[in-house]
Amino acid sequence: MMKGRHFFKIMVPGYDENLNLPPAFCQKVLKLEKPEWVITLTSRRGEWKVNACRCSNSGTAIIFRKGWSRFARAHGIKIGDVIVFQHITDFHLNVYVFDSSACEKCFSDHEKEESSQPAKGNGRQREYYNKNPCFTYTVQPCHGAKNSRIIPFKFAEMHDLVEKSSVILQDPNGKSWPVKLRVWNEGRTCRMFEGWHEFFISNKLEVGDECIFELVNHGFENVSSFKVHISRVTSRR
């Protein structure tokens, strides 16, 4: 199979659970002996890992399962949308999403509002990133900062936070704060809300303070925990 060949799928009911790839395409590519493997889907929103497996009723039919529903939700895919796949390698496909108007979908970069990359800072801050996944948040002078906080969506997707209803925040004094999570904007925004206000006020956060959210307990008993490191813009008395 030549690199760069394409196929497309029209979204029909059930698309959000799994996706069947065209049999003719499967007969010519992905000739792997394993019954299941991981494929990287690259879209305009980044890279996504999806489990692909062969249908039990056929040796050639391939289905996207685990990871596909997250991809569909993050891209706001609906019935009638058309998705074009470009074959790069057996483990890598480029993906282009078109809506019912036949135009390619545009996506807002909610996940880029706060960086999910290591922040510049002192050696102690960089040390957090060497151990566990982190994202940073700098308190901004905007209305509502005390009431809710967006988690960078790419970070939330990567660590399955969009599947959870709450997280635990541990402040620098060791106190734990349960905080509710909610997914907005057709599954493209993950936000901390109920409980965030209490955390914000109790820790006396002010404009310019930087919070480093270190994911220290990922999914144990279906609860994810963050250790929050706070770097004050000014010293507190």
Side-chain angles (χ1 to χ4, degrees):
M1 185 72 169
M2 292 179 62
K3 176 181 176 181
R5 291 290 297 273
H6 299 73
F7 70 90
F8 71 90
K9 290 286 295 185
I10 300 173
M11 298 298 100
V12 298
Y15 74 89
D16 54 336
E17 296 180 1
N18 53 62
L19 187 73
N20 297 322
L21 276 60
F25 182 86
C26 297
Q27 291 174 5
K28 298 177 181 179
V29 300
L30 304 177
K31 297 179 179 180
L32 302 176
E33 297 181 358
K34 293 183 179 180
E36 184 171 345
W37 61 96
V38 177
I39 289 180
T40 297
L41 303 182
T42 300
S43 74
R44 297 192 184 279
R45 298 205 68 190
E47 292 188 348
W48 311 76
K49 302 296 183 182
V50 174
N51 280 28
C53 61
R54 297 191 182 280
C55 179
S56 58
N57 298 326
S58 172
T60 57
I62 295 173
I63 302 175
F64 285 165
R65 286 186 174 165
K66 184 178 180 181
W68 170 253
S69 62
R70 291 198 298 272
F71 178 92
R73 183 172 56 251
H75 291 75
I77 295 173
K78 299 178 181 179
I79 292 174
D81 286 353
V82 175
I83 303 181
V84 176
F85 295 85
Q86 179 187 23
H87 175 253
I88 303 301
T89 71
D90 285 353
F91 302 96
H92 187 191
L93 298 172
N94 285 343
V95 185
Y96 307 92
V97 183
F98 297 80
D99 61 23
S100 57
S101 71
C103 295
E104 186 175 2
K105 285 192 174 184
C106 297
F107 302 102
S108 56
D109 296 329
H110 289 284
E111 68 271 17
K112 295 181 181 179
E113 290 189 16
E114 287 88 32
S115 174
S116 60
Q117 300 299 319
K120 294 181 180 180
N122 58 39
R124 188 179 180 188
Q125 287 177 325
R126 288 193 295 270
E127 189 175 284
Y128 302 145
Y129 294 99
N130 293 332
K131 295 179 179 179
N132 296 304
C134 299
F135 71 91
T136 65
Y137 161 60
T138 301
V139 180
Q140 302 294 326
C142 60
H143 177 71
K146 298 180 182 179
N147 299 323
S148 65
R149 170 84 325 257
I150 290 176
I151 297 176
F153 194 78
K154 190 171 183 179
F155 184 96
E157 274 291 318
M158 186 178 299
H159 302 290
D160 295 327
L161 298 179
V162 295
E163 306 290 342
K164 302 183 184 299
S165 60
S166 64
V167 293
I168 301 294
L169 302 183
Q170 184 182 73
D171 67 23
N173 295 319
K175 182 176 180 179
S176 295
W177 303 81
V179 176
K180 297 290 186 181
L181 294 181
R182 183 174 295 174
V183 176
W184 301 78
N185 194 25
E186 296 184 343
R188 296 195 291 270
T189 302
C190 186
R191 185 182 294 271
M192 295 184 286
F193 64 108
E194 186 178 326
W196 169 254
H197 177 81
E198 291 76 9
F199 176 89
F200 190 103
I201 297 300
S202 178
N203 285 277
K204 301 179 180 178
L205 295 179
E206 297 183 4
V207 173
D209 288 350
E210 182 183 60
C211 298
I212 302 173
F213 293 81
E214 179 190 6
L215 187 59
V216 294
N217 182 17
H218 182 205
F220 179 68
E221 295 184 350
N222 205 34
V223 176
S224 292
S225 299
F226 285 95
K227 187 173 183 180
V228 185
H229 311 274
I230 301 175
S231 177
R232 307 287 185 182
V233 67
T234 59
S235 60
R236 306 282 199 270
R237 289 187 177 182

